[in-house]
Each structure stands twice: as C-alpha cells, then as structure tokens.
Amino acid sequence: MDKFVIEGGHALRGVISVSGAKNAALPVLAATLLTADEVVLERIPKVRDIRTMAKLLESVGAKVEPNNGGDGVRVAQITTPEAPYELVKTMRASSLVLGPLVARCGEARVSMPGGCAIGARPINLHLAGLEKLGAKISQEHGYVRAHAPKGLTGAVIHFDRVTVTGTEDLLMAAVLAKGETVIENAAREPEVSDLADLLTKMGAQIEGAGSSTIRVQGVTELHGATHAIIPDRIEAGTFLIAGALAGDPLTIAGVNAEHVAALTDKMRQAGVEFSFLEDDRIEVQAPEKLRAVDLATKEYPGFATDMQAQFLAMMTQAEGESEITETIFENRFMHVSELLRMGADIALEGHRATVRGRTELSGARVMASDLRASACLVIAALAAQGETVIDRVYHIDRGYERIEEKLSSVGAKIRRAQ
Ligand code: EPZ
C-alpha cells in the first residue's frame, strides 16, 4: 500500500492549479445515463472515485472514451440497470445512478452502501424522494430496487434534512418525470448548480438550482452536450490552508473565490491575509501568528464539512483555544487521534473538538482513515518538525489529483513510497 514520506518545515512558494471538482464530476457522469447521445465532459479530475464511477457506467452499458481533451460518455442503451456491490462498497456516491437509471429505463438496482469511516450515511431520503415520484422501492439481498415501469410523475419533495447527493439524485430523476417536480430544502452546493447547468444544456427545464427550492418541468427526452466541470473548492481550500501555514507566498490558480468564501472569511478571522488576483487566482502568505477561532460546519454556503479536518490541523498552529463543531456527520474526527500522536493538544467531546494551540507538531508514523482526514495529515506533516510517514494514502487518491506532485512543485518535501 502506498505511503507518503513528508519532511516538514519547508516554505511553499509558487503556483498550484486546481483540478475539476470530484463532487461535481460524479453526479455529472451519472447524468450521462439520461440520454442515448454522447456527452463530452471536460476538466474531469483523474482521481480514484472517478475511475470507479466510469467502471460503474460501463457495467451499466456506457462507452467512456477520450474525446478531444475531454471524456466522451455515450449510453446508447442501458444493458444492466444495476450498481453492483463490489463497486458500491468502494464508493457510496454510486447511489447517484439510482435516479437517472429509473428515469431512463424504469428500473434501478443498487447495492445498499455500507457505512463508512465518517458515519452511517443512509440513503433513506433518496429512496423516499423516488417513491414520491412514483417508483416502487423494495430491498432484497443487500440491494435496493427502484421500479417505475410506467415512468415517473412529478411531485413536491421536501427533504427533512439537506442532502447533497439526495438533491442531485432526485434532480436527475425529475428531469424526465411527467409534469412538475418541486424539491424543497434542496442542497445549495455549487456541485448541485453545476449538475443543473449540464442538465439544462441537455434540454432539461430547471429553475432555482443553488437555492433551497428547485422547480423542474419534466421533458420526454434529453440530448447530448459538452460541459466543463467547476473547479474543486475543497482541493483549493486544502491548498489555501497549507499556504496559511507555509505560504511564502503560495498562489492557488483556477479557483472560484465565491465557492471558498466561507473558508477564506473564517481564515481571515484567524489572521490570514489573501490577495484575490485576476483570472481566478488567490495568493496567500503565512502570517507571523495565527489566532484561534471557533468553527461550526454547515451546509453551503456555510463552512464545508469537507474542510473541517484541514482547518482543525491549522488551529493546532494558532494561539489560543478553538472549538470546532461538526454538525453534518456523526463521526468526522478520525484525524484527531493521529494529530495527538504528532503532539497536538485536542480534547474531543461528541461532535466538538477543542484545540489548544500553538503546539509544536513533530513528525510521526500516522494512518489515513478517510479522504479529508488524509488531507489534514498532509497539512500537519508539512507544518511538523521532522519526518512524517502517512500510511494508506489510497484514501487521499480518491479525491486529490497528484497531490504530492502539486505540493513538491512549490517546495514541499513529499514523496510517494511503497
Ligand atoms: C456529499 O455527500 C459529498 N459527497 C461529501 O463529500 C460531503 O461531505 C457531503 O455531501 C456533505 O457536504 C459527494 O458529493 C459525492 P449528504 P452526501 O447526503 O451527499 C444524512 C468528500 O469528502 N443523510 O449531504 O452523501 C447523512 O448521513 C465527501 O468528498 C441521511 O440521513 O452527504 C449526513 O449526516 C465526504 N439520509 C447528512 O445527511 C440520506 O438519505 C448530509 O449528507 C442522505 C443523507
């Protein structure tokens, strides 16, 4: 299993370019199931989860091949409307094929996603929404089956709690349903808006994407389109935090500043200065001192839960006490135990971590547990004295494209080893 060997204490100087957003690419790839025409997607990040989704689409009947700089996906015919266990167990976002499969061919069988490191992560809200649209839901042998032989019918769907892929799944089901669908308490994440942009290019009629209420007029069929994925705001945020600790200065290129506003606002409260430069570049210089600030994760446009672990790593280097509250997932502090081994001073109580800084971190052998916890450990290792070895970096490869090359190009001492 690959590991990272990182020597901390080096300044980061230069420009890192952001890749396309993994969490936009996954629903957008699933949306290609909605038409028999070719859909060309640009700026798809080369990360493990995308390869898993491409395999899933091919197992359903898609042809995925390069198309002048983009990925051409054509699903001329759905051969097997099923997401098999061996793929779903490696990527829960496979549930994103539920909506498009039912909408396209009236049937979907998806292996129930097991839990994962950060929480139980059920898909009950996805299934309840599909039922509202007229699908018959049944569960057998670890699979959930959605069946709508006469097609789906528009309805009002109210989510009891905001769900990002739940909103995306139902949006993809609604675009081919008969009549109007209203999704209330919808997720407002930029990745939802990016999906809606593609669906609109394919001929869907959608209003309100990016707000809490999305209105869809169903159409009878969708056609092909070409679409460039939005930049990855979580990758950009991860590098901005690395810059706050070691930037001299570090410039992040190709980032949508609006998408990272909750993060940069919070970082500014902690004493970090930014220069917002033309053509989507943000420059960050590590300040003399960082101030501890409190944080609570929220749905977009609030502070992203996917940035909590990285921000917590930064707070170990800030003066004072920071209370970090995780409101989205029930178990998203797996990174804390590893940071304690590096010398951090953190007290955990349920959904709240209290970080006392500034503590000198020392390099150690640590283990990645999930995607964003791995990113947190890379940031901590860059700030630590001495050498850190991070095991199980396949977690980080799920959502970061060549992170060790991008960081090495700006002066970090990081290498991949067996
Ligand atoms: C998406 O996951 C992202 N993944 C996650 O990013 C991100 O952390 C999360 O949204 C929150 O922003 C993708 O977009 C592929 P949710 P998703 O449904 O859609 C509960 C990463 O690091 N819930 O918004 O699965 C759920 O348990 C990943 O890139 C239900 O109870 O998250 C959670 O507590 C990690 N029933 C909360 O809602 C449901 O049917 C929010 O989950 C669905 C969700």
Side-chain angles (χ1 to χ4, degrees):
M1 263 190 234
D2 283 3
K3 49 176 77 77
F4 280 157
V5 180
I6 300 170
E7 186 188 287
H10 296 277
L12 302 178
R13 191 173 306 123
V15 183
I16 292 184
S17 294
V18 177
S19 302
K22 160 183 87 85
N23 290 349
L26 289 170
V28 155
L29 280 164
T32 62
L33 294 166
L34 290 164
T35 176
D37 293 354
E38 181 179 50
V39 179
V40 178
L41 301 171
E42 289 156 2
R43 209 165 45 197
I44 293 276
K46 292 174 180 45
V47 296
R48 207 154 64 88
D49 275 6
I50 298 302
R51 288 193 290 280
T52 305
M53 180 57 90
K55 271 194 226 136
L56 176 52
L57 292 181
E58 283 167 344
S59 76
V60 163
K63 279 223 171 337
V64 183
E65 47 209 15
N67 179 319
N68 58 37
D71 289 317
V73 185
R74 180 190 290 276
V75 194
Q77 206 190 353
I78 306 273
T79 51
T80 357
E82 177 172 300
Y85 173 71
E86 55 274 11
L87 285 177
V88 176
K89 73 178 178 191
T90 64
M91 186 184 67
R92 345 173 11 72
S94 309
S95 57
L96 281 166
V97 300
L98 258 175
L101 282 177
V102 179
R104 174 80 186 275
C105 68
E107 177 167 14
R109 282 190 311 282
V110 174
S111 164
M112 290 298 278
C116 84
I118 61 178
R121 300 183 70 187
I123 57 167
N124 58 311
L125 301 176
H126 301 231
L127 301 176
L130 285 173
E131 240 168 2
K132 280 306 264 310
L133 295 180
K136 290 275 164 291
I137 305 291
S138 55
Q139 301 194 12
E140 53 202 7
H141 313 304
Y143 278 73
V144 66
R145 181 170 181 257
H147 196 219
K150 297 197 185 65
L152 298 169
T153 308
V156 177
I157 295 165
H158 179 86
F159 281 122
D160 295 346
R161 69 174 299 173
V162 172
T163 161
V164 176
T165 51
T167 301
E168 291 162 348
D169 226 345
L170 271 302
L171 182 55
M172 290 188 280
V175 293
L176 290 179
K178 292 180 207 61
E180 179 180 71
T181 296
V182 181
I183 303 176
E184 295 176 341
N185 200 23
R188 300 172 55 190
E189 272 68 3
E191 293 76 23
V192 174
S193 302
D194 202 32
L195 171 64
D197 287 350
L198 168 63
L199 292 170
T200 303
K201 285 179 190 170
M202 292 167 70
Q205 292 178 19
I206 302 168
E207 281 166 26
S211 78
S212 305
T213 303
I214 303 177
R215 207 173 282 277
V216 182
Q217 302 302 331
V219 294
T220 48
E221 66 175 10
L222 295 178
H223 51 72
T226 296
H227 182 71
I229 307 288
I230 55 171
D232 194 317
R233 61 194 170 99
I234 307 301
E235 183 195 20
T238 304
F239 291 133
L240 284 170
I241 287 188
L245 294 174
D248 188 28
L250 179 65
T251 302
I252 311 300
V255 52
N256 179 322
E258 189 194 329
H259 292 172
V260 293
L263 172 70
T264 49
D265 289 352
K266 187 54 78 174
M267 290 173 73
R268 210 180 278 114
Q269 289 169 27
V272 181
E273 295 297 318
F274 298 98
S275 307
F276 293 88
L277 311 174
E278 72 289 347
D279 50 46
D280 295 339
R281 286 180 304 139
I282 303 180
E283 185 181 90
V284 53
Q285 173 74 41
E288 278 308 303
K289 266 173 68 169
L290 284 167
R291 292 188 294 274
V293 290
D294 294 344
L295 169 75
T297 60
K298 286 270 176 303
E299 293 89 358
Y300 194 88
F303 190 101
T305 173
D306 290 351
M307 282 306 305
Q308 177 259 105
Q310 300 91 312
F311 192 84
L312 192 150
M314 185 175 95
M315 286 295 101
T316 67
Q317 302 308 297
E319 302 291 335
E321 191 170 279
S322 157
E323 287 214 341
I324 295 181
T325 308
E326 172 55 56
T327 71
I328 308 291
F329 289 110
E330 60 267 34
N331 183 34
R332 204 168 198 178
F333 285 119
M334 309 275 280
H335 39 288
V336 168
S337 48
E338 299 305 305
L339 291 175
L340 292 173
R341 299 184 60 250
M342 296 176 73
D345 177 353
I346 308 168
L348 254 191
E349 201 187 326
H351 285 242
R352 179 166 303 152
T354 303
V355 185
R356 287 182 198 86
R358 172 177 183 281
T359 51
E360 191 65 55
L361 296 181
S362 60
R365 180 120 199 195
V366 292
M367 189 179 299
S369 55
D370 60 85
L371 170 55
R372 306 305 174 182
S374 324
C376 154
L377 296 178
V378 169
I379 288 168
L382 293 171
Q385 291 303 315
E387 181 176 276
T388 297
V389 177
I390 304 178
D391 279 326
R392 299 192 180 178
V393 292
Y394 63 83
H395 286 293
I396 208 160
D397 292 335
R398 296 190 55 168
Y400 289 88
E401 194 176 24
R402 300 175 295 104
I403 189 168
E404 74 274 24
E405 290 170 32
K406 292 190 177 186
L407 285 170
S408 304
S409 73
V410 291
K413 295 279 177 281
I414 173 173
R415 62 185 171 81
R416 187 180 288 259
Q418 298 297 327

